[in-house]
């Protein structure tokens, strides 16, 4: 597996280990509450699932970024995306965080670092009295030219997601999957290739990958993707010619041979029926499992994920050098077991309310 | 190996027959020898390699992966071969400098002995990519289950070379893996492969049903009539020391009928109907059923239900191919030929004398034996042509109220049948040629014996596509499916059914294990009965 981002091999420079109990207990710095991950000394939440007074948001996916908080601290892109989705007044107060810059919140040092998940996505490092916890949010290690690459941060406790936390999830390089899509387009030129991809991140990444593979025809997009795709373009990410996939029956034949991208939910409704002999494709890490493709009636599964696969998860855990791992957001048990086998202390962090919108 | 693995994956998920054909044709066109020929053999189910039990795969993976992690994974994935292919750790010391070819994999698997098979398989899994590992595990555990029949693969070959499928079927048994000569011929780079092999199958000639108003246009003097025997259409071929009994689709069924095969001592090729009993005492269809779908035939069975062949046609006599001759002449040669054969195993299918269609109609509706299902009309001057040419041969069935339908769904029964799938929904073909679909036309839950129920139940379990509670959908497409002959008392128009027709009192009158699904009736045939 090759990665253009930070290398997966090798650990970060060793940080002097601070005896955790002596300084402060990790659970005193971050703990789980019904609203989400909470920092008592800083009095803030990370990605809370209910409205709270002060929220730090890792990225714009709707299960992490909700409307109605008093104050929100997030990257500029995440704030923009939230405004696009929820309207300008989505929170009482917004503050933009710059990658690498330290912000003090009630005596707790907070820093945002790129997570490589979607545009603007961040890990959040929380530090006090020499104890550093990094909440990864959602992240991946495969190269993605639509967002900044994941940066491994040395820490005492690493909170990792586990969406694909089973050793069977091994994502192939995304460009190989795009090559399969283009091969199918050449093989079935009379059919419309309908690609299901989530509206934020995945859709734009697929567009960009198609361009990188030399596909220069206009890409037809579902209306639900327009605003976010325009936003990506405004941030300097060239997606090539995009055209709305909304035309009357007279143009039906026009779609033959073209690639249409839409949110997966749109595939079951009338929207999908307008296309010439559609060939249904779905860009998702879940497509690794054949039964998932079969159940969804997917004819061409594309294993393209914005989450870390098993090998990326385990390599990242090693790389952070963290003595303790908290696992959340997916299949905790297998990753906890792996840590146990590796002699790393680990426990599941039971947070409620997260679905896999991003994949 | 990658391209083969990709082909398998795409075939499984591609629902349409035409889509599958395109994938196969492109694969055969783009992949070089010998890989494509081996893929062909694997898809046609003719590839012989070391087979291993799933337990052995589990043991191999247990040596490499934590059992708990494997357990979580297997629970999630649900398929052993798939789990193994994904979880198999990349091996640092056997880095492949080049990707595995299918030929290499097959060669190593064919050389493997029972004792070193595990080691060889592990070595291949170490060397392969994830898709390659999946294909390898599927190959060694037997059964690719990709929804592609040998017949569809042959159709792809025919399309590749722009030939009729009958040309491929005719050659098929004489070809050797990896079919290099065949591909060279299909690509126009070499002449047609010479049939070195003996006793080859000859594509069968079939009849069209008599439709409304057809008879008025035909001259009775130009046609011979013959009973239509409802046994199994077979072709008996002997050449040198080789004897083969073929089904109408070219499958070798000699093994199921050793008694008949043993009696085949002639030089030539005969077309006829396999029946049970003896020429002087023809058995019923239920007698015949005793000999169908059995893996092995006991001596008692052979005594009680002996097989014999009622001969329709002579295609080859000694070194002479008779197929271009008119039926009249072939029929005369056939009569002489059958005279030289063992009379307890072979007889001549009698002609039915008639002067006009009314006379024939009277005979048709009162046949002399229950296993007669109608009459055949054959033009005296017709050569023997493969397939179903329009005009020379017609079939005129006895009972207008039977159709051949394909089993689509099966539901668990009640009471003493609750452990069996005993309620059957069946359908007939509808839609344009090349895009036929099965439309459900009715449901039947009786008309079969307990033994037949067990056979259908097994078929349902072996061919389940999906389950919805007590109902299973059964594999049913142009290339595979169970044909049921359905008898019914009447037919009415219906707006409640998608098909537009509703049957009165449908029941299964026969299981047609021998009949290809593609040859079941069409909805039009059923609708034509509405106007009667
Ligand atoms: Zn998430
Ligand atoms: Zn996300």
């Amino acid at each position: 597996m090759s990665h253009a981002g930070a290398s997966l091999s090798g650990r970060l420079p060793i940080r002097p280990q601070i005896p955790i109990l002596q300084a402060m207990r990790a659970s005193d710095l971050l703990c789980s509450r019904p609203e989400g991950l909470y920092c008592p000394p800083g009095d803030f939440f990370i990605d809370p699932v209910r409205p709270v007074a002060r929220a730090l948001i890792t990225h714009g996916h709707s299960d992490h970024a909700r409307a109605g908080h008093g104050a929100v601290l997030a990257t500029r892109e995440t704030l923009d995306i939230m405004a696009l989705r929820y309207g300008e007044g989505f929170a009482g107060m917004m503050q933009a965080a710059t990658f690498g810059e330290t912000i003090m919140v009630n005596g707790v040092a907070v820093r945002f670092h790129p997570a490589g998940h979607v545009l603007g996505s961040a890990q959040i490092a929380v530090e006090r009295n020499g104890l550093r916890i990094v909440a990864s949010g959602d992240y991946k290690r495969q190269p993605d030219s639509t967002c900044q690459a994941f940066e491994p941060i040395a820490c005492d406790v690493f909170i990792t997601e586990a969406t694909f936390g089973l050793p069977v999830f091994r994502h192939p390089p995304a460009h190989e999957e795009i090559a399969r899509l283009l091969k199918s387009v050449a093989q079935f030129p009379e059919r419309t290739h309908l690609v299901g991809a989530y509206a934020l991140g995945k859709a734009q990444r697929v567009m960009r990958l198609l361009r990188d593979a030399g596909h220069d025809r206009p890409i037809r997009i579902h209306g639900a993707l327009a605003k976010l795709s325009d936003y990506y373009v405004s941030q300097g990410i060239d997606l090539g010619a995009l055209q709305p996939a909304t035309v009357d029956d007279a143009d039906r034949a026009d779609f033959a041979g073209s690639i249409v991208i839409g949110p997966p939910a749109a595939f079951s409704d009338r929207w999908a029926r307008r296309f010439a002999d559609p060939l249904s494709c779905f860009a998702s890490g879940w497509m690794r499992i054949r039964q998932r493709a079969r159940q969804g009636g997917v004819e061409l599964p594309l294993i393209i994920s914005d989450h870390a696969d098993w090998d990326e998860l385990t390599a990242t855990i090693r790389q952070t050098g963290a003595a303790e791992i908290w696992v959340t957001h997916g299949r905790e048990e297998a990753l906890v077991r792996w840590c146990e086998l590796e002699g790393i202390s680990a426990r599941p962090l039971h947070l409620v309310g997260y679905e896999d919108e991003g994949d | 190996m990658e391209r083969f693995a990709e082909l398998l994956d795409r075939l499984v998920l591609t629902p349409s027959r035409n889509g599958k054909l395109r994938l196969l044709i492109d694969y055969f066109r783009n992949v070089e020898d010998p890989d494509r020929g081996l893929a062909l053999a694997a898809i046609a189910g003719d590839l012989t390699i070391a087979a291993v039990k799933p337990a052995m795969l589990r043991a191999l993976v247990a040596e490499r992966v934590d059992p708990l992690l494997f357990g979580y994974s297997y629970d999630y994935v649900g398929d052993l071969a798939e789990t193994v292919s994904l979880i198999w750790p990349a091996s640092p010391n056997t880095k492949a400098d080049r990707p595995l070819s299918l030929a290499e994999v097959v060669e190593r698997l064919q050389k493997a002995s029972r004792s070193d098979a595990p080691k060889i398989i592990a070595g291949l899994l170490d060397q392969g990519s994830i898709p390659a590992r999946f294909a390898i595990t599927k190959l060694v555990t037997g059964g690719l289950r990709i929804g592609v029949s040998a017949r569809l693969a042959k159709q792809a070959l025919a399309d590749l070379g722009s030939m009729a499928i009958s040309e491929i079927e005719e050659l098929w048994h004489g070809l050797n893996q990896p079919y290099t000569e065949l591909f060279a011929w299909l690509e126009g780079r070499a002449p047609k492969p010479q049939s070195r092999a003996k006793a080859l199958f000859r594509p069968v000639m079939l009849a069209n049903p008599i439709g409304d108003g057809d008879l008025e246009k035909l001259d009775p003097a130009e046609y011979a009539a013959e009973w239509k025997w409802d046994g199994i259409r077979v072709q008996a071929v002997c050449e040198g020391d080789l004897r083969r009994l073929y089904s109408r689709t070219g499958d070798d069924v000699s093994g199921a009928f050793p008694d008949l095969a043993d009696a085949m001592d002639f030089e030539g090729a005969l077309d006829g109907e396999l029946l049970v009993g003896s020429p002087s005492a023809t058995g019923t269809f239920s007698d015949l059923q005793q000999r169908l779908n059995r893996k092995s035939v006991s001596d008692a069975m052979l005594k009680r239900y002996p097989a014999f062949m009622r001969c329709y046609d002579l295609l080859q006599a000694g070194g002479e191919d008779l197929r271009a001759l008119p039926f009249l002449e072939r029929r005369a040669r056939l009569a002489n030929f059958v005279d030289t054969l063992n009379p307890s195993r072979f007889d001549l299918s009698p002609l039915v004398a008639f002067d006009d269609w009314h006379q024939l109609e009277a005979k048709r509706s009162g046949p002399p034996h229950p296993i007669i299902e109608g009459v055949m009309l054959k033009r005296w001057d017709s050569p023997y042509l493969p397939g179903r040419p329009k005009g020379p041969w017609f079939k005129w069935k006895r009972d207008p109220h039977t159709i051949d339908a394909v089993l689509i769904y099966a539901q668990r029964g009640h009471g003493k049948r609750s452990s069996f799938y005993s309620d059957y929904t069946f359908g007939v073909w509808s839609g344009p040629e090349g895009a036929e679909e099965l439309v459900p036309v009715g449901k039947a839950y009786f008309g079969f014996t307990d033994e037949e129920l067990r056979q259908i139940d097994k078929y349902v379990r072996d061919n389940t596509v999906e389950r919805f509670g007590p109902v299973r959908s059964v594999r049913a497409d142009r290339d595979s499916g169970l044909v049921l002959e359905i008898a019914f008392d009447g037919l009415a128009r219906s707006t409640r059914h998608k098909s537009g027709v509703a049957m009165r009192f449908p029941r299964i009158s026969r299981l047609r294990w021998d009949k290809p699904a593609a040859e079941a009736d069409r909805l039009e045939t059923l609708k034509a009965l509405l106007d009667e």
Side-chain angles (χ1 to χ4, degrees):
Chain A
M1 193 184 305
S2 74
H3 291 271
S7 157
L8 282 181
S9 54
R11 292 179 176 224
L12 293 169
I14 307 267
R15 265 163 47 85
Q17 288 282 322
I18 292 153
I20 293 173
L21 283 172
Q22 198 180 323
M24 80 181 290
R25 286 198 319 195
S27 57
D28 292 336
L29 186 55
L30 277 179
C31 58
S32 62
R33 289 255 185 107
E35 300 92 322
L37 198 58
Y38 180 62
C39 173
D43 189 25
F44 59 80
F45 287 87
I46 297 178
D47 291 353
V49 296
R50 295 183 202 164
V52 298
R54 191 191 305 275
L56 275 57
I57 308 282
T58 59
H59 67 287
H61 277 144
S62 56
D63 52 334
H64 296 255
R66 304 195 183 223
H69 303 305
V72 167
L73 174 61
T75 62
R76 163 59 43 210
E77 293 86 347
T78 298
L79 293 176
D80 289 345
I81 288 164
M82 290 176 77
L84 281 175
R85 296 190 134 182
Y86 306 123
E88 293 294 337
F90 66 87
M93 226 171 73
M94 302 90 161
Q95 185 186 347
T98 310
F99 285 138
E101 170 201 37
T102 304
I103 298 167
M104 296 304 292
V105 183
N106 298 329
V108 176
V110 168
R111 245 182 318 153
F112 283 60
H113 298 279
H117 176 54
V118 298
L119 182 58
S121 66
Q123 317 169 64
I124 297 175
V126 173
E127 190 165 350
R128 191 174 193 230
N129 295 349
L131 174 74
R132 185 189 295 164
I133 303 180
V134 170
S136 72
D138 292 341
Y139 68 97
K140 72 168 173 292
R141 306 300 301 270
Q142 269 208 31
D144 176 353
S145 51
T146 67
C147 64
Q148 235 174 297
F150 179 94
E151 224 170 68
I153 306 299
C155 55
D156 303 297
V157 178
F158 182 60
I159 307 177
T160 182
E161 63 139 319
T163 307
F164 293 109
L166 277 177
V168 288
F169 288 111
R170 299 172 120 174
H171 308 325
H175 66 85
E176 288 180 7
E177 299 299 286
I178 290 296
R180 292 200 303 117
L181 171 60
L182 290 174
K183 179 176 170 188
S184 181
V185 171
Q187 207 165 13
F188 296 95
E190 75 288 3
R191 301 183 67 182
T192 308
H193 283 66
L194 222 53
V195 181
Y198 288 97
L200 169 58
K202 184 68 62 63
Q204 295 76 23
R205 183 172 174 217
V206 167
M207 295 171 198
R208 191 55 245 164
L209 283 163
L210 281 166
R211 300 311 183 202
D212 290 340
H215 182 77
D216 51 12
R217 295 182 53 185
I219 296 171
R220 301 316 221 354
I221 61 170
H222 184 274
L225 307 185
K227 262 199 295 187
L228 286 163
S229 301
D230 288 348
Y231 176 69
Y232 267 61
V233 173
S234 76
Q235 297 302 299
I237 297 156
D238 182 11
L239 301 177
L242 306 179
Q243 289 175 5
T246 42
V247 280
D248 49 58
D249 282 6
D251 292 339
R252 181 184 277 263
D254 232 40
F255 284 101
S258 63
I259 295 176
V260 177
I261 304 181
F267 281 45
S268 48
D269 63 34
R270 292 187 48 185
W271 175 79
R273 277 179 239 147
R274 71 184 66 198
F275 304 109
D277 193 8
L279 194 156
S280 115
C281 319
F282 185 20
S284 163
W286 300 114
M287 292 297 101
R288 178 45 101 187
I289 309 300
R290 287 173 179 81
Q291 192 55 24
R292 295 280 296 240
R294 232 171 270 145
Q295 278 162 354
V298 175
E299 214 171 319
L300 183 65
L302 302 170
I303 310 164
I304 301 178
S305 173
D306 284 333
H307 291 271
D309 70 1
W310 176 259
D311 297 321
E312 296 171 41
L313 290 170
T314 54
T316 305
I317 288 173
R318 279 212 186 94
Q319 227 175 358
T320 62
E324 191 172 335
I325 304 297
W326 297 350
V327 187
T328 177
H329 210 116
R331 315 199 150 265
E332 291 92 354
E333 75 276 22
L335 211 50
V336 168
R337 168 67 177 172
W338 179 85
C339 289
E340 192 184 301
L341 293 170
E342 294 289 309
I344 303 171
S345 135
R347 66 179 175 88
L349 187 65
H350 297 293
L351 294 173
V352 287
Y354 295 95
E355 302 112 34
D356 36 80
E357 184 209 27
D359 240 88
Chain B
M1 202 66 198
E2 257 67 20
R3 285 172 305 181
F4 176 61
E6 187 189 340
L7 176 70
L8 297 185
D9 266 344
R10 290 227 54 188
L11 287 172
V12 173
L13 293 174
T14 298
S16 89
R17 181 173 190 270
N18 286 341
K20 286 183 186 176
L21 276 174
R22 178 106 42 101
L23 293 167
L24 286 164
I25 294 165
D26 283 354
Y27 178 86
F28 292 142
R29 185 174 288 136
N30 296 322
V31 174
E32 60 287 349
D33 297 319
D35 271 25
R36 57 179 171 177
L38 294 168
L40 172 60
I43 289 167
D46 292 337
L47 193 64
T48 324
I49 50 166
V52 297
K53 296 240 152 52
M56 195 216 85
L57 275 182
R58 290 192 75 140
L60 284 178
V61 87
E63 292 167 15
R64 291 162 172 82
V65 180
D66 173 56
L68 213 54
L69 287 177
F70 178 78
Y72 292 144
S73 300
Y74 187 28
D75 280 353
Y76 182 80
V77 176
D79 178 90
L80 181 69
E82 187 170 357
T83 311
V84 170
S85 72
L86 291 169
I87 209 169
W88 193 268
S91 171
N93 36 9
T94 46
K95 264 264 176 327
D97 37 22
R98 71 207 145 71
L100 276 173
S101 70
L102 179 57
E104 204 178 334
V105 170
V106 169
E107 196 198 329
R108 278 155 69 180
L109 287 173
Q110 282 177 333
K111 275 196 198 136
S113 67
R114 188 186 283 268
S115 59
D116 66 2
K119 213 180 107 208
I120 286 177
I121 290 167
L124 288 171
L125 294 178
D126 279 343
Q127 217 179 317
S129 62
I130 288 174
R133 291 201 291 259
F134 180 70
I136 292 165
T137 46
K138 282 291 179 193
L139 280 175
V140 299
T141 49
L144 297 173
R145 289 179 191 274
I146 47 171
V148 173
S149 61
R151 192 171 163 80
L152 190 70
K154 288 176 200 165
Q155 184 65 56
L157 297 171
D159 292 353
L160 177 69
S162 311
M163 330 235 164
I165 186 168
S166 55
E167 292 215 51
I168 311 284
E169 283 178 333
E170 183 160 11
L171 278 175
W172 188 252
H173 289 277
L175 299 170
N176 292 321
Q177 295 169 16
Y179 308 108
T180 318
E181 287 182 314
L182 171 70
F183 284 110
W185 170 58
L186 293 173
E187 290 172 341
R189 293 184 285 107
K192 187 168 179 171
Q194 287 302 306
S195 66
R196 282 171 321 248
K198 292 177 172 176
L200 289 178
F201 172 68
R202 279 119 178 118
V204 171
M205 181 163 177
L206 301 165
N208 286 293
I210 279 281
D212 271 351
D214 278 347
L215 284 177
E216 288 101 89
K217 286 178 242 149
L218 304 180
D219 178 357
E222 287 181 350
Y223 285 83
E226 192 176 359
W227 296 119
K228 181 165 171 24
W229 300 91
D230 198 7
I232 303 167
R233 182 84 177 271
V234 288
Q235 187 178 104
V237 187
C238 302
E239 193 176 354
D241 49 0
L242 265 180
R243 303 164 175 194
R244 286 196 202 283
L245 190 63
Y246 292 108
S247 74
R248 64 196 267 185
T249 49
D251 296 322
D252 188 347
V253 294
S254 318
F257 302 100
D259 45 348
L260 179 55
D262 283 350
M264 288 164 48
D265 58 350
F266 52 83
E267 281 285 315
L270 282 166
D271 179 2
E273 200 82 12
L274 184 143
L275 295 161
V276 153
S278 71
S280 53
T282 306
T284 62
F285 198 85
S286 60
D287 292 338
L288 176 62
Q289 293 283 23
Q290 304 295 325
R291 289 289 301 266
L292 300 183
N293 264 326
R294 292 191 183 275
K295 279 225 179 72
S296 62
V297 206
S298 67
D299 284 349
M301 196 61 81
L302 291 174
K303 260 210 176 87
R304 217 168 140 202
Y305 303 106
F308 73 97
M309 182 169 173
R310 185 149 284 159
C311 302
Y312 294 143
D313 221 317
L314 183 62
L315 315 182
Q316 176 94 22
E320 190 188 355
D321 186 344
L322 306 186
R323 286 175 290 178
L325 299 179
F327 176 69
L328 179 69
E329 242 173 276
R330 294 201 310 279
R331 173 81 197 180
R333 299 276 296 266
L334 174 69
N336 291 333
F337 195 87
V338 171
D339 267 350
T340 67
L341 306 177
N342 177 343
S344 67
R345 298 290 182 183
F346 296 89
D347 77 344
L348 182 65
S349 162
L351 294 183
V352 182
F354 71 103
D355 296 324
D356 56 44
W357 300 129
H358 292 288
Q359 208 178 13
L360 187 60
E361 155 91 67
K363 293 190 173 179
R364 181 185 70 107
S365 43
H369 194 282
I371 202 167
I372 291 172
E373 59 165 349
V375 293
M376 294 290 296
L377 299 176
K378 296 178 176 176
R379 266 183 82 109
W380 288 109
D381 63 359
S382 57
Y384 193 93
L385 301 169
R388 201 186 296 277
K390 295 212 161 68
W393 286 13
F394 291 97
K395 56 184 175 187
W396 191 6
K397 284 206 189 180
R398 182 186 45 156
D399 183 357
H401 293 326
T402 65
I403 53 147
D404 288 328
V406 184
L407 175 64
I408 312 177
Y409 303 107
Q411 184 171 354
R412 272 180 191 278
H414 301 282
K416 85 176 172 73
R417 280 179 169 182
S418 59
S419 60
F420 290 101
Y421 284 88
S422 63
D423 298 5
Y424 308 115
T425 302
F426 47 85
V428 293
W429 297 107
S430 168
E433 205 178 320
E436 295 92 342
E437 283 182 351
L438 285 169
V439 211
V441 289
K443 228 177 153 177
Y445 15 90
F446 56 93
F448 36 85
T449 64
D450 286 352
E451 174 57 27
E452 285 171 343
L453 172 62
R454 270 190 287 280
Q455 290 173 359
I456 309 177
D457 182 74
K458 179 166 190 316
Y459 180 86
V460 168
R461 290 171 197 276
D462 290 347
N463 291 277
T464 298
V465 179
E466 261 181 296
R467 302 173 186 210
F468 332 85
V471 180
R472 291 183 181 214
S473 72
V474 181
R475 186 164 163 216
D477 52 45
R478 299 294 286 175
D479 303 294
S480 118
L482 173 57
V483 176
L484 306 172
E485 186 185 279
I486 305 290
F488 54 99
D489 286 355
L491 199 66
R493 278 174 219 285
S494 161
T495 47
R496 285 193 306 123
H497 297 80
K498 188 181 164 197
S499 61
V501 295
M503 285 181 176
R504 199 156 66 81
F505 195 41
R507 66 263 183 198
I508 292 173
S509 59
R510 255 162 231 188
L511 305 182
R512 298 297 308 261
W513 297 106
D514 56 307
K515 189 155 191 163
E519 289 178 18
D521 280 307
R522 290 188 53 89
L523 186 57
E524 289 79 2
T525 313
L526 201 56
K527 284 192 164 158
L529 295 175
L530 277 172
D531 304 322
E532 282 188 2

